[in-house]
Amino acid sequence: MPKPILVFDSGIGGLTILEEIKQVLPDERYIYLFDNARLPYGELSEQTLIDGCVSLITKFIKLNPVSMVVIACNTASTLILPALRAELDIPIVGVVPAVKPAAVLSKRKHIGLLATPGTIKRTYTHELITQFADNCKVELYGSSELVLLAEQKAAGLLVTKDQIARILQPLLDSEIDTLVLGCTHFPILRDEMQAYLGEAVSLVDSGKAIAARVVNLIEQQAYIEQKEVGSINELNETTKNTAFYTSDSVGVGLKTTLISFGLTVISKVNL
Ligand code: DGL
């Protein structure tokens, strides 16, 4: 049976990427690993973030072999990919804030990038803007509070309009017409954000682009496997998709959300 695809994030944000991948690859098996003991990643120092992620993912994969790793976290992707690629010999896909499509989409050439404080600070992000949005005025906003609000929603708790307004008010005042959701947690609050910002602001994320990249890699892998072993007609065994967390426990609300994303086995990571 083919090995599962590992989707990784600090918390529930990667579920938005998992969902996009599952839309196009519904028959693959998935493991969702989230490092909620160390969330929010946007507040960690660069070295702490790199060391922790590389150690967790490499140890995890030794015990749970996977076919590829999707780092469904912008904050981690801006930093850990080279170190992780040096350790693993399977494909690793990262998430890039959708600055390029946003710059194309923006009519007024005035866009916002909403991400974690870590992502906003990174050289990687600034290079991305220079490369793809040089013709735009770009407003940068970092918020870990919004990450925690997305977690709050996923835990089944109410997120109020006031909480959203307090964070997004500078964006509303800036008169941007396009906003990059540069953190995978933020699409969880898409409806709340769109309601506050109004339809004049388009929200753009990178979920579909990541899913397309995964499809591409799966097709390449299938081609290589076919060449190596000839055509094998395996029965499409259905094994459950699993979620692993790093905190001591998770609440009922979060478990319900994970189940609603098709992750029917949920357990603490054991390394
Ligand atoms: N979901 C993550 C991202 O895309 C990180 C959120 C956090 O832990 O700060 O950046």
Side-chain angles (χ1 to χ4, degrees):
M1 187 165 56
K3 290 176 196 155
I5 296 173
L6 178 68
V7 179
F8 173 79
D9 184 34
S10 59
I12 47 86
L15 293 174
T16 64
I17 302 289
L18 173 67
E19 199 53 23
E20 294 285 2
I21 303 172
K22 274 171 59 189
Q23 295 272 327
V24 285
L25 294 167
D27 297 331
E28 292 291 325
R29 267 189 316 136
Y30 298 91
I31 295 180
Y32 188 68
L33 170 63
F34 62 109
D35 188 12
N36 56 340
R38 299 200 313 144
L39 176 140
Y41 271 8
E43 301 293 327
L44 297 183
S45 80
E46 299 200 347
Q47 207 52 52
T48 306
L49 184 57
I50 297 171
D51 294 346
C53 291
V54 173
S55 156
L56 171 63
I57 295 168
T58 50
K59 281 185 195 155
F60 182 85
I61 286 177
K62 272 203 188 102
L63 298 172
N64 307 278
V66 296
S67 62
M68 98 171 57
V69 182
V70 180
I71 304 298
C73 171
N74 293 266
T75 316
S77 295
T78 57
L79 271 186
I80 70 165
L81 299 183
L84 198 57
R85 287 193 173 118
E87 295 289 328
L88 302 173
D89 58 1
I90 51 175
I92 298 169
V93 181
V95 191
V96 179
V99 169
K100 187 179 175 183
V104 173
L105 192 73
S106 173
K107 288 204 173 68
R108 291 207 293 271
K109 299 301 166 204
H110 189 184
I111 68 175
L113 171 58
L114 182 62
T116 66
T119 300
I120 292 296
K121 274 196 298 218
R122 290 301 181 249
T123 314
Y124 178 94
T125 306
H126 292 269
E127 284 173 1
L128 197 68
I129 292 169
T130 311
Q131 200 180 350
F132 297 114
D134 222 17
N135 59 339
C136 292
K137 188 172 172 202
V138 184
E139 314 283 351
L140 298 173
Y141 296 91
S143 174
S144 287
E145 205 187 337
L146 205 54
V147 172
L148 299 179
L149 286 187
E151 290 285 332
Q152 185 177 315
K153 182 175 174 183
L157 303 170
L158 190 72
V159 174
T160 67
K161 200 180 158 196
D162 279 358
Q163 286 176 306
I164 295 287
R166 222 182 35 246
I167 300 165
L168 296 192
Q169 202 213 321
L171 280 164
L172 197 60
D173 295 345
S174 72
E175 299 188 340
I176 53 167
D177 65 6
T178 308
L179 178 64
V180 179
L181 304 183
C183 167
T184 55
H185 275 72
F186 299 165
I188 298 272
L189 295 169
R190 180 186 287 275
D191 291 348
E192 290 83 348
M193 289 198 271
Q194 193 77 71
Y196 177 71
L197 294 171
E199 295 301 323
V201 180
S202 306
L203 305 181
V204 185
D205 65 62
S206 19
K208 289 209 164 31
I210 302 308
R213 177 76 189 126
V214 173
V215 169
N216 192 265
L217 286 166
I218 291 279
E219 280 168 1
Q220 280 176 28
Q221 259 183 356
Y223 176 71
I224 292 165
E225 276 159 21
Q226 229 176 39
K227 269 187 37 181
E228 279 171 358
V229 289
S231 87
I232 303 168
N233 275 327
E234 276 184 276
L235 279 176
N236 190 6
E237 286 181 53
T238 50
T239 308
K240 289 175 177 143
N241 296 329
T242 313
F244 289 94
Y245 53 88
T246 58
S247 64
D248 289 337
S249 62
V250 294
V252 180
L254 179 52
K255 277 192 183 148
T256 308
T257 298
L258 293 166
I259 292 167
S260 75
F261 278 86
L263 299 158
T264 43
V265 180
I266 303 163
S267 48
K268 182 175 163 53
V269 86
N270 187 7
L271 300 174

